[in-house]
Amino acid sequence: MSQPTRRQLLVLGLAGAGMTATGGAGLWWSNSGRTFGGGQKLLQPEMLTSTNGVLQLALEAAPARLEVGGRTANLQAFNGSLPGPTLRVRGGDTIRVQMTNKLQAPTNLHVHGLHVSPLDNGDNPFVSIDPGDTFNYEFVLPADHPPGTYWYHPHRHGHVADQLAAGLYGAIVVEGPSPIPVSRERVLVVSDLSLDASGNLSDVTAMEQMMGREGQIVLVNGQISPQLSAAPGERERWRIVNACPARYLRLSLGGQGVRLLSFDLGQVREPAEVTEVELAPGNRVELLVDTRKGTSTLVATPVDRGGMGGMMGAGNDQPNNSDPVDLLHLDVSGDLAAPLPEVPAGPALRDLRNGTISGRHTLDFAMGMSGGMGNGSGGGMMSFTINGRAFDPDRLDTAVQAGGTEEWTLTNSSFMDHPFHLHVWPMQVIQDGAGDLTEPTWQDVVNIPARSQVKVLVAFDGFQGRTVYHCHILDHEDLGMMGTVEAR
Ligand code: C2O
Ligand code: CU
Ligand code: CU
């Protein structure tokens, strides 16, 4: 695509709006009534790179006592670090993970966005690893796998939001065939969590689950408002992952030149200047930052993703995201760097609109009353359904022809946005909440705004097998907003 989509691009001039509010940066942990400063140097997760076409590693999901904002928190982590290691591979590589569950609940591993087989010990969301057990995964990337920033996280139904909120996630980088000239690259994994005064994860209320929990502390690579520095005239490549269970991130970085290089997967043809990008839970973005002298803040401004409307009784019906959050501070000073070569144009993107459609499906995302609502005081749960049904791992919801291209209409009859995610096969978004898209736009998570609809085209090629699609507000997924799809 030559232009970012409307959703990704806010008209110039509005960008400053979020920049003036400071939102009490680095002063979270508000539920304990104490404040914590940021200002540490940004750390990069450990990077594990494939050699001779193979990346082999052991991943242990375990309770971890880690420092957050200068205090000790009782979290869960992969290999004891927040985030887990970054896995760096290229098309054609094989990733082998020996995954051990040292948690007290079942878990498993999902490689979000990777175009790999969903069968057996591949990216199989139906696997369950019991506490104390080990499972050996193997993910074989096709040679022409799209480059981009992906990520991994547990996907055991019923435990997904809890385990992400506790700290279990990490980035995956798939390198492209031709490198982009940059001064440096940074992986920025954004997550959120709530801790009580003694550093334990806060309990989550039924209402927070129904809304989609948003943590009171927002972290970048496990740090609160870390500090980055660069020289003017440099070009950085930021790979940003939204690993929050439910929080949307509307990001801006005033005072710097920012271009969109990639959204979820692949690479845009010509990176264009953006003032704001919006990431639903699960989305990733790669930004080119052309540095300019001064100090800039990466701010996440609140996103209105709807509420429970009049469906519940009285009480808080909005997520607690009303304040802008300072994610990190970039200090650009010193001598002007030598100029870098231009960013070469990427290859033209595949456009499925030129082909034949082998099938059509409509999926409706709905929230309704379930049994035992009681007096509406939050004691009962709403139902979260797709086409009127809650998730059943043994039921096949959508059968598709392997190798065919389908048009899916995703409708949302509820009062809240639901970010739709399909495993294994990326989606070409042809209509979003604002209307038809003209340029080929590929994503693996697409937001379906409340009371709205979205259309996508999916080429079910490369692999056969059964996997899932779901709302990436992970509380909703755990509450049943997930279905199964089989390509055969
Ligand atoms: Cu990021 Cu099905 O998940
Ligand atoms: Cu996924
Ligand atoms: Cu949802």
Side-chain angles (χ1 to χ4, degrees):
M1 68 184 133
S2 60
Q3 291 292 317
T5 68
R6 272 171 302 238
R7 265 172 309 100
Q8 291 158 11
L9 176 64
L10 197 86
V11 279
L12 227 85
L14 289 183
M19 306 302 300
T20 48
T22 58
L27 305 176
W28 297 306
W29 217 300
S30 47
N31 49 339
S32 71
R34 298 175 62 174
T35 57
F36 293 84
Q40 292 172 308
K41 257 190 83 175
L42 175 85
L43 303 172
Q44 285 293 285
E46 178 194 8
M47 175 110 68
L48 304 174
T49 308
S50 62
T51 45
N52 300 321
V54 178
L55 176 57
Q56 190 150 347
L57 67 143
L59 266 189
E60 188 178 277
R65 281 172 69 77
L66 292 166
E67 205 168 280
V68 175
R71 291 183 57 184
T72 303
N74 296 308
L75 307 176
Q76 298 173 358
F78 282 119
N79 294 359
S81 74
L82 203 66
T86 300
L87 314 184
R88 196 172 186 105
V89 296
R90 27 181 85 247
D93 283 357
T94 297
I95 307 173
R96 289 197 191 102
V97 181
Q98 185 190 72
M99 164 104 167
T100 302
N101 180 4
K102 292 278 178 69
L103 306 170
Q104 272 159 14
T107 191
N108 67 11
L109 185 69
H110 167 52
V111 282
H112 178 127
L114 289 193
H115 182 55
V116 294
S117 169
L119 296 173
D120 307 322
N121 65 337
D123 186 26
N124 183 344
F126 304 105
V127 164
S128 183
I129 310 172
D130 282 333
D133 284 0
T134 291
F135 188 86
N136 292 307
Y137 284 98
E138 184 175 87
F139 311 110
V140 183
L141 279 66
D144 61 351
H145 193 287
T149 303
Y150 303 90
W151 62 302
Y152 60 87
H153 61 79
H155 212 289
R156 173 60 167 75
H157 179 60
H159 301 272
V160 184
D162 282 346
Q163 293 182 356
L164 266 93
L168 293 164
Y169 40 75
I172 301 173
V173 170
V174 179
E175 285 180 55
S178 42
I180 309 276
V182 291
S183 316
R184 68 192 63 81
E185 228 182 81
R186 311 203 195 243
V187 171
L188 305 169
V189 180
V190 182
S191 61
D192 64 354
L193 78 176
S194 293
L195 297 167
D196 66 18
S198 44
N200 294 314
L201 291 156
S202 303
D203 288 335
V204 184
T205 65
M207 180 56 91
E208 285 172 311
Q209 284 177 283
M210 290 187 283
M211 292 302 310
R213 69 185 77 182
E214 296 197 5
Q216 282 158 335
I217 308 169
V218 186
L219 303 173
V220 177
N221 294 350
Q223 298 174 284
I224 296 177
S225 293
Q227 203 72 47
L228 283 68
S229 48
E234 292 192 309
R235 184 189 297 144
E236 300 203 343
R237 180 180 189 163
W238 291 7
R239 300 174 179 270
I240 305 176
V241 179
N242 184 359
C244 301
R247 179 186 291 265
Y248 285 53
L249 299 169
R250 182 175 289 162
L251 303 178
S252 57
L253 179 72
Q256 304 294 322
V258 179
R259 287 181 287 168
L260 179 76
L261 179 66
S262 168
F263 195 89
D264 276 0
L265 62 126
Q267 187 187 312
V268 303
R269 250 178 91 67
E270 280 173 61
E273 194 104 3
V274 288
T275 55
E276 207 169 72
V277 287
E278 189 174 311
L279 280 73
N283 280 138
R284 292 85 58 210
V285 71
E286 293 181 18
L287 301 176
L288 295 173
V289 178
D290 296 300
T291 56
R292 298 172 190 159
K293 219 181 198 80
T295 299
S296 296
T297 301
L298 182 68
V299 179
T301 48
V303 175
D304 176 14
R305 56 183 178 88
M308 302 292 266
M311 299 184 78
M312 300 297 293
N316 175 26
D317 74 340
Q318 294 294 321
N320 58 353
N321 67 351
S322 50
D323 292 323
V325 177
D326 292 358
L327 292 181
L328 56 81
H329 302 288
L330 170 65
D331 178 48
V332 182
S333 59
D335 295 335
L336 192 66
L340 288 162
E342 293 289 298
V343 177
L349 296 181
R350 185 179 185 188
D351 193 342
L352 297 177
R353 285 172 296 197
N354 306 327
T356 33
I357 303 296
S358 58
R360 289 189 161 80
H361 283 96
T362 297
L363 306 180
D364 183 56
F365 289 70
M367 290 156 52
M369 302 300 182
S370 58
M373 266 303 291
N375 57 13
S377 62
M381 292 301 255
M382 305 191 79
S383 64
F384 287 80
T385 57
I386 302 175
N387 288 349
R389 302 194 288 201
F391 179 62
D392 176 353
D394 299 321
R395 184 185 66 218
L396 175 61
D397 295 304
T398 310
V400 300
Q401 187 195 318
T405 295
E406 294 228 346
E407 181 183 277
W408 284 14
T409 303
L410 311 167
T411 62
N412 180 352
S413 54
S414 75
F415 294 93
M416 284 176 78
D417 291 14
H418 299 290
F420 176 76
H421 173 49
L422 170 64
H423 285 207
V424 180
W425 298 280
M427 304 177 278
Q428 181 182 354
V429 184
I430 56 169
Q431 185 195 99
D432 68 9
D436 289 340
L437 301 178
T438 49
E439 298 296 326
T441 302
W442 289 84
Q443 292 175 211
D444 54 57
V445 176
V446 56
N447 190 47
I448 323 168
R451 300 276 188 205
S452 187
Q453 75 165 35
V454 160
K455 279 188 189 183
V456 299
L457 300 177
V458 185
F460 286 94
D461 46 21
F463 307 98
Q464 301 199 8
R466 198 166 72 106
T467 187
V468 293
Y469 48 75
H470 58 91
C471 175
H472 218 287
I473 289 177
L474 296 171
D475 289 295
H476 294 176
E477 185 267 291
D478 283 330
L479 289 170
M481 200 171 248
M482 176 153 73
T484 61
V485 56
E486 183 173 11
R488 56 188 181 188

